[in-house]
Amino acid sequence: MAPDPPDAESTPDPAPTAARAADLDWAERGRGDRFAFRRKRLADRAGGRDLGCSLYEVPSDKRPWPTHYHEGNEEALYVLSGSGTLRTREGAADLDLEPDTYVALPAGADYARQIENDGDEPLRYLALSTMNHPDVTVYPDSDKVGVFCGAPPGGDGDARTLHGYFPRDAAVDYWDGEPTTEE
């Protein structure tokens, strides 16, 4: 005999949830005189799980993040207003960012990037990302890596089981610090 179906009142009915940018407060971040942005985490508010989406606004003459790339996540940008430049890896052409421009940024070193608002108005864009974890983010200018486990970059920081930034040359031998003989 098959078990009874779950009680309709105890099983939530899955349904899409909307996030309206106008209903969200801006979160502001910056560092020094070079980095600044405002962000609204749309996918998080709408209950997104495997795909992230945030609305960013970058002031003139600022960058949101240092040059970086992800080893485990693909990102994409869609420019809504303003203008800027997507700085790419050495040897690749930089891209002009203007309204209605979409840029795919697959994982890997070939897609190292940094956004710069070199226009006169705020640069507003949607940033989309797969939300895979673990992820390693590489910062070529400072030769460091970021490690994200338990929640991806841009995800719930409180859910992370491991998160840190390390110099790329901080490698140790596999057995370093491990007890290899019985006491």
Side-chain angles (χ1 to χ4, degrees):
M1 174 181 241
D4 290 334
D7 181 2
E9 289 183 30
S10 67
T11 305
D13 184 21
T17 304
R20 290 176 179 80
D23 296 339
L24 299 173
D25 292 330
W26 287 105
E28 296 189 37
R29 291 186 62 187
R31 184 69 166 214
D33 61 0
R34 194 171 185 181
F35 298 98
F37 67 86
R38 299 187 327 157
R39 176 183 184 191
K40 294 185 179 192
R41 294 177 58 192
L42 301 171
D44 184 59
R45 174 59 69 90
R49 295 183 189 129
D50 297 328
L51 183 63
C53 180
S54 290
L55 172 62
Y56 278 86
E57 186 176 271
V58 181
S60 185
D61 296 322
K62 301 291 184 195
R63 299 160 179 88
W65 306 105
T67 302
H68 70 285
Y69 62 89
H70 296 270
E71 289 289 359
N73 281 293
E74 180 168 347
E75 293 181 320
L77 309 173
Y78 183 77
V79 179
L80 301 168
S81 63
S83 62
T85 302
L86 182 72
R87 309 276 179 217
T88 60
R89 67 172 166 76
E90 189 173 328
D94 293 340
L95 299 175
D96 291 333
L97 298 175
E98 57 189 39
D100 296 327
T101 300
Y102 177 87
V103 180
L105 298 162
D110 286 342
Y111 297 94
R113 71 287 202 155
Q114 180 182 64
I115 295 168
E116 180 180 357
N117 180 351
D118 49 16
D120 296 329
E121 303 294 324
L123 172 62
R124 217 175 234 215
Y125 62 93
L126 292 174
L128 299 102
S129 175
T130 54
M131 299 297 282
N132 300 324
H133 61 91
D135 187 23
V136 174
T137 305
V138 180
Y139 301 86
D141 294 343
S142 57
D143 207 25
K144 69 177 178 261
V145 296
V147 176
F148 301 83
C149 298
D156 180 4
D158 292 337
R160 293 208 179 104
T161 56
L162 175 64
H163 177 212
Y165 298 91
F166 309 94
R168 284 183 87 171
D169 64 358
V172 296
D173 182 76
Y174 178 80
W175 293 106
D176 187 43
E178 298 294 333
T180 56
T181 58
E182 294 296 326
E183 298 283 325

